[in-house]
Every structure is written in structure tokens, then in C-alpha cells.
Amino acid sequence: MAGYDSRTGGLLASTWIGYSLLFWFYPLAWLIVLSVTQWQFIGMPRFSGLQNLLGVVNDALFWTSMWNICRFLMWYIPIVFIASLLFAAGLRKIKYGKSFIALSFLLANISSGVAYSIVFSKLFSEYGPMNEFLREHLGVSVPWFTNPDCAMLSIALIVTWKFVGYYGLILYSGMQAIPNDIYSAALLDKTGRFKQGWAITLPMMNPQIVMVMVLAITVAFSIFTEPYLITGGGPLNSTTSPMVVMYEAAFQNMKPTWAATMSIIVAGCSFLAIWVFRKLFEKNIAIV
């Protein structure tokens, strides 16, 4: 019976094992091989040691893109967190149509990145509807995508639009899990609403907040569609992301081995950022 159970378990797990080998371990092994070889899509890779790493380290555009991710995080993290928190709080207050509103916001998350990038590029262009409205009513025109100081903020706002519903639902689930008895006890102590939110709601939502922040950091390091389609990495490389640099290195400059090395560095930086954030902010919260 034990052998039968073992065989059955192995058979049931074989699909997932095969999937992992094909779509996870094989690409990872090939990525490592590419990072220490020279190859241009044709023929066999030739071992080159640290040549790719030295080339990437001296690539100024790559490090510019890494700095751009830091700038993107400085805008994106506070904006998306505050927007998602407000969405979750508002959703909790709504009595009717809650499912419809939640679904409406969540639709942005499953929208085609290419489609909404094109829409936003036209909507916020120099002579687009948004600037025409601003010129007509306020007499100003905002260089959303043409000014290096505004372009990354504009990209962050677009990505926030995409994920605010998804992150908001995660935070909403954390709010719903907090027992009402805790708020009742706080009211007996004459604790104000703001203090309740700061001392009760946010601390007890720590698992959901950490999850949202981890997802946001992951999105920041993997951003590609918006800067590539809307700004092309400009102006003056101010919105170039590592993914854009990797794409250009692999398919325009025919250096897939450089792209592989860059991806390992970006992944390492992403894991490090997530690890540091979790060490600083993650806490064990027990809700009984």
C-alpha cells in the first residue's frame, strides 16, 4: 500500500515537476550558461568567463536604468500604497454595489499593457485631451512624457492605475480580518478614528501590507511595456528600465549573453530589496 501511495503521489506530482523542469529549471540553467559564454543565437556558446560581467559593469546605460528603477520606486511605492489603502477603506464603507466596484477596478489589472499604454500615450500627449483641458481651463500644459523630471512620475501614475484595484483588494481582505471587538474596546477608551487606524488597523494589516509592497517592488524591477511603448526610454534615458536595456541588448545589439548577465544582476537586486524590506517591516501578527 505504501508503494502504491508513493507511485500515485509521484504520478499526481509529475505534471508540476515536468512544468517546473521545462519552464523554470531549464531556463535558469540556460541563463547561467549564457552569462559565462559568448553566443549570438547561432552555433554553440563559447566559454568567456567573466567577460560579460565586466562588459555589463562598464555599461553606463544599464546603471542609468537601475537608478531609474530607484526613482520609479520613490514615486510608485507611496502613490500606489496610499491609493490602494484609500480604495480598500472606501470599499469597506460601501454597502451596495461592492462587487461591481471591486470588479471594475480589478479590470485594469487584466487589461492589455500594449492597449492601455497606447491609450495613455495619446491621452497625455502634448496636444492630447488632458493637456487641451488644462490649457483651456487653467492656461497650463504639462510635459507628461517629454520632461525628464515628469516622465517617470507619469509612468508611475499609469502603473498605479493598473495595480490599485488588485492591491486594494489585498488590503481590503486584511481590513475585513480585523475583529470588530478591537475597535469597540478602542471606542470605550475614547480613541479617535485616526489613532485607531494608526495604532490598530495598519499594524494588524502588516501581512497584507508586506505582500503589497513585495509585489510592488517586483513590478518595479520588471517594468517594460509602459516605458518602451510610451516614451521609448526617453527623454534623455530618464525612463529607461533594465528590461528595456536587456531587450535592446539581446535583440537589437545581438548580445543575448549581456542580457542574461543583466537579468541575473537585476534579479539579485530585486531579491535583496525584498529581503531588506521584509526584515525591516514584516511582523508576526496573530488575529484571534
Side-chain angles (χ1 to χ4, degrees), residues 242-260:
M243 292 298 170
V244 173
V245 176
M246 281 184 250
Y247 172 81
E248 293 176 347
F251 300 108
Q252 294 183 9
N253 301 328
M254 300 297 289
K255 293 182 178 179
T257 54
W258 277 39

Side-chain angles (χ1 to χ4, degrees), residues 149-280:
D149 296 325
C150 295
M152 187 56 80
L153 172 59
S154 302
I155 296 294
L157 291 173
I158 294 172
V159 180
T160 296
W161 171 86
K162 177 179 175 65
F163 286 99
V164 66
Y166 179 47
Y167 296 164
L169 288 178
I170 295 175
L171 296 178
Y172 172 74
S173 68
M175 288 182 180
Q176 291 295 91
I178 302 174
N180 290 326
D181 294 343
I182 298 178
Y183 293 106
S184 299
L187 287 175
L188 291 176
D189 290 336
K190 298 182 179 180
T191 305
R193 291 291 183 183
F194 177 80
K195 192 172 182 181
Q196 287 182 31
W198 183 259
I200 298 175
T201 306
L202 290 180
M204 298 200 72
M205 288 172 57
N206 183 266
Q208 289 77 25
I209 292 174
V210 170
M211 181 179 180
V212 165
M213 292 298 102
V214 168
L215 292 173
I217 293 172
T218 304
V219 166
F221 278 93
S222 61
I223 186 174
F224 171 79
T225 306
E226 293 82 3
Y228 183 76
L229 289 179
I230 297 175
T231 63
L236 302 176
N237 294 322
S238 61
T239 60
T240 300
S241 71
M243 292 298 170
V244 173
V245 176
M246 281 184 250
Y247 172 81
E248 293 176 347
F251 300 108
Q252 294 183 9
N253 301 328
M254 300 297 289
K255 293 182 178 179
T257 54
W258 277 39
T261 306
M262 291 175 186
S263 67
I264 293 175
I265 296 174
V266 172
C269 293
S270 175
F271 293 150
L272 179 62
I274 291 172
W275 180 82
V276 170
F277 180 85
R278 293 186 62 183
K279 283 294 182 181
L280 291 175

Side-chain angles (χ1 to χ4, degrees), residues 19 32 62 67 82 85 107-108 139 231 287:
Y19 172 85
I32 295 173
F62 173 70
W67 170 242
I82 293 173
L85 191 63
L107 284 175
T231 63
I287 300 178

Side-chain angles (χ1 to χ4, degrees), residues 12-108:
L12 293 173
S14 61
T15 303
W16 174 249
I17 293 172
Y19 172 85
S20 299
L21 289 173
L22 183 61
F23 295 104
W24 173 248
F25 292 105
Y26 172 72
L28 179 61
W30 181 238
L31 185 72
I32 295 173
V33 169
L34 287 180
S35 68
V36 294
T37 57
Q38 291 298 316
W39 184 65
Q40 291 184 317
F41 299 106
I42 299 175
M44 292 296 294
R46 293 178 291 103
F47 180 76
S48 60
L50 299 178
Q51 184 176 342
N52 292 320
L53 179 60
L54 294 175
V56 171
V57 168
N58 293 312
D59 188 342
L61 183 58
F62 173 70
W63 295 111
T64 297
S65 72
M66 293 296 287
W67 170 242
N68 288 339
I69 291 300
C70 295
R71 293 173 53 238
F72 177 81
L73 282 169
M74 287 188 290
W75 287 115
Y76 179 59
I77 291 294
I79 293 174
V80 77
F81 176 72
I82 293 173
S84 301
L85 191 63
L86 292 174
F87 171 72
L91 194 63
R92 193 180 188 190
K93 296 291 184 181
I94 295 174
K95 293 183 178 180
Y96 305 104
K98 186 176 296 187
S99 298
F100 174 78
I101 294 173
L103 180 61
S104 299
F105 275 82
L106 195 59
L107 284 175

Side-chain angles (χ1 to χ4, degrees), residues 120-135:
F120 276 111
S121 67
K122 302 299 182 182
L123 184 63
F124 290 93
S125 65
E126 184 178 357
Y127 297 102
M130 183 57 69
N131 271 334
E132 289 295 336
F133 175 84
L134 292 175
R135 274 192 289 265

